[in-house]
Amino acid sequence: MSKRFNRRSRRAVIPLAAVSTLVAGAGLTGCGQQRDASVYTVLNSSTDETYHRWDAEAMARCGERLGVTIEQQSVPAAQVMTKALRMASSKSLPDIVQFDASEMPTFAEAGGLVDLRTLGLSTADVPQGIVNFGSYKGTYYGAARSVNTLALFYNKDVLDGAGLKVPSTWAELRETAKRLTQGKRYGLALSAGGAEDGVFQFTPFMWSNGGDETRLDGPRVVEALDYWKSLLKDGSLSKSTVGWTQADVNDQFMAGNAAMMINGPWQVETLNTKKSLHWGIARIPVPQAGGKSVGPLGGAVLTVPNTGDEQRERTAGKIVACLSSEREQLTYALNSWMVPANEKAAAVWRQRVPELDALADQVAAARSRTAKLGAGWSGVSLALQSAFQSALTGESSGAALKRAQQRATSGN
C-alpha cells in the first residue's frame, strides 16, 4: 500500500499578536543574509515523497524556463508558519512560502507578504471564490495551484446491495446511514476531532444550512450541530468520531467499517490502492431538496514574503506565476487528484477524471474559511473544536455553541 498522505493535517494555531510582533521585529526590509543570485528557495509542506517529487519536477521545469535554480525546503504542515517566523527573525526568509490558505491572512496582516498583482500575476482565469481564497482585505497575496473541498464518498457495493440510492438531503442521509449500520459497520464516518479537521468537516453542514461563523450560537449553526448529534444518537456514527482525523475516517471506510464518509480528494490515491473497494463520490447532502451544497475551500497558496529585495521579489513572482500556470496546475492536479484553480485547466481536468466531476461541482460553490473573518478564523476554529467535544459527549448544542461564541468573541 502506498504511503498515506493527509493534506488536512493538524496545524498549530499561532495568535496574530505573536506573529505581528515577530514579523515586525524581524525588520523584513533589511538586507538579510547574502544569497546566491541564481538560487531561489520555496518553503512548503511537501514532506511526502510523492508530493516532494512532483514539486521538484515542477520547480525544475520552471527554473529552466526562467534561468534560475529553484530549491524546496519541506517541513510538516504544522511547522510552516513557525519555520517562516524563525526565518523572518534571522532575516533569512525564503523567496516563496506555500502557506495553508487558512494561515496566510495571519502572515499578511502582520505585513509579511507582497501583493502578487504588483509582481505581474493575473487572476483573469481564476474564479472569484478562489481569488478570495488567496486574498486578504482585498489584496491578492496567495496564488493557488489547486484547491480541494469535501464530498460524500460511498461504497457502491454496499449501497447497491441494500437497494439504496445515494442520499442528497439530510433526511435521506440520516435514513440511509441508519439502514446501512449493521454489525461492526457504521452507516457514516466523519471527523469531529478537536482540531481543524473537525471544523473543516462541519462547515458544509453549517453553511448549507444558512449558518455563519460570525454567530456561532445562531439557530442555523445549532441545527447543524444537532444534526450531527442525531446521527450519533441513531448509532450511525461511531462514538470515536470525536477523536478522528480525516485520515482516520478514510481508514475506517477502507476497512469496511463505514459505508459512507465525508472526506476529500487527498484520500483518492490511498483509496485506489484497494482494488476490491468500489467507491463513488457525490456532493454533500443539503438540509432541503434543491438547496446549494456549500463546502469549504481547502488547499495551499504560494506567497512572496516581503524581504525588501525588490529584484528577488520580482523573480519570485515569476516563479509563482509559472508554478500556478495553466499547464503546471493541470499536471499537479492530475497527480494529486485536487481540482485546478485555473478555469481552463479545470475544464480539461473534468474530462480527464470524470469520476470526480461531483467534486468540481462542489468546489464551484465552495467558500474560503477566512473570507469573512480573515486572521480571526483561528479563534473561531478553536472555539468550535471545543464545542464539538462538549456537544457530542452530552451537552446541548445550544449551550456548547453559546460558550463557543463567547470564547471566539473574547479571544480566550
Side-chain angles (χ1 to χ4, degrees):
M1 182 177 290
S2 65
K3 181 179 178 181
R4 183 179 68 202
F5 186 60
N6 179 17
R7 298 297 292 173
R8 298 280 337 133
S9 53
R10 295 171 183 263
R11 290 180 172 82
V13 176
I14 303 175
L16 173 60
V19 175
S20 298
T21 299
L22 286 167
V23 172
L28 294 184
T29 56
C31 294
Q33 297 179 351
Q34 286 294 108
R35 306 186 187 208
D36 186 326
S38 64
V39 178
Y40 286 75
T41 305
V42 179
L43 175 64
N44 62 23
S45 60
S46 298
T47 54
D48 180 82
E49 186 276 328
T50 53
Y51 278 79
H52 194 83
R53 184 179 75 255
W54 295 334
D55 277 338
E57 291 169 351
M59 291 174 194
R61 288 190 293 269
C62 287
E64 185 175 357
R65 289 173 205 158
L66 297 171
V68 297
T69 298
I70 309 170
E71 298 177 345
Q72 59 180 325
Q73 294 183 14
S74 301
V75 299
Q79 298 176 22
V80 171
M81 177 67 82
T82 52
K83 175 75 170 177
L85 289 172
R86 284 198 301 270
M87 296 176 82
S89 67
S90 62
K91 297 185 179 179
S92 60
L93 272 168
D95 299 286
I96 297 165
V97 179
Q98 181 173 289
F99 283 114
D100 181 84
S102 66
E103 292 183 331
M104 178 274 294
T106 302
F107 213 80
E109 172 75 7
L113 299 177
V114 178
D115 180 350
L116 293 182
R117 287 194 174 99
T118 67
L119 300 179
L121 271 81
S122 170
T123 57
D125 294 323
V126 183
Q128 188 59 46
I130 299 177
V131 174
N132 295 341
F133 179 67
S135 301
Y136 179 61
K137 292 185 176 179
T139 301
Y140 185 56
Y141 291 112
R145 288 185 291 172
S146 65
V147 291
N148 61 65
T149 191
L150 294 167
L152 178 72
F153 288 74
Y154 57 92
N155 186 311
K156 291 182 177 180
D157 294 335
V158 172
L159 261 72
D160 289 346
L164 297 172
K165 66 176 185 177
V166 180
S168 62
T169 66
W170 281 9
E172 290 175 358
L173 177 61
R174 185 175 181 183
E175 180 61 24
T176 301
K178 190 185 299 185
R179 291 179 62 179
L180 294 178
T181 299
Q182 296 179 12
K184 294 182 178 180
R185 185 188 69 208
Y186 291 93
L188 179 67
L190 56 79
S191 167
E196 184 69 14
D197 277 21
V199 179
F200 197 68
Q201 295 227 327
F202 183 65
T203 53
F205 295 89
M206 175 173 70
W207 288 338
S208 298
N209 197 43
D212 194 285
E213 56 270 34
T214 63
R215 189 186 168 195
L216 299 182
D217 56 350
R220 297 295 188 176
V221 185
V222 174
E223 284 177 2
L225 189 49
D226 275 342
Y227 181 73
W228 270 16
K229 291 189 69 169
S230 71
L231 296 171
L232 196 62
K233 182 179 179 181
D234 291 344
S236 300
L237 288 179
S238 168
K239 291 181 179 179
S240 298
T241 194
V242 296
W244 281 347
T245 65
Q246 293 178 117
D248 296 327
V249 168
N250 193 58
D251 288 343
Q252 295 297 318
F253 183 73
M254 290 187 68
N257 296 330
M260 300 179 289
M261 71 169 176
I262 305 296
N263 227 314
W266 53 88
Q267 307 292 8
V268 170
E269 184 181 9
T270 305
L271 287 171
N272 285 343
T273 64
K274 188 171 183 178
K275 302 303 180 184
S276 61
L277 177 62
H278 304 127
W279 56 272
I281 189 171
R283 281 180 282 185
I284 296 175
V286 293
Q288 302 294 332
K292 181 181 290 186
S293 184
V294 184
L297 270 177
V301 291
L302 294 166
T303 69
V304 176
N306 178 11
T307 62
D309 187 332
E310 294 185 3
Q311 183 175 346
R312 288 190 72 92
E313 289 171 2
R314 283 195 295 272
T315 301
K318 293 178 181 178
I319 293 171
V320 170
C322 180
L323 291 173
S324 60
S325 64
E326 180 182 341
R327 185 197 321 182
E328 290 298 339
Q329 281 196 27
L330 182 60
T331 299
Y332 186 78
L334 290 171
N335 280 335
S336 65
W337 301 95
M338 305 296 178
V339 183
N342 179 287
E343 288 180 317
K344 294 178 180 178
V348 177
W349 181 88
R350 280 178 182 261
Q351 296 173 348
R352 299 279 290 274
V353 283
E355 66 271 26
L356 296 184
D357 195 54
L359 188 72
D361 290 337
Q362 188 86 58
V363 162
R367 279 178 49 187
S368 166
R369 286 160 288 165
T370 58
K372 288 192 173 183
L373 299 178
W377 171 261
S378 61
V380 165
S381 177
L382 289 171
L384 279 174
Q385 292 167 31
S386 179
F388 299 157
Q389 300 297 299
S390 298
L392 296 178
T393 54
E395 188 175 22
S396 74
S397 298
L401 288 168
K402 182 177 182 180
R403 190 167 57 254
Q405 178 62 28
Q406 292 170 343
R407 181 179 180 181
T409 302
S410 67
N412 296 321

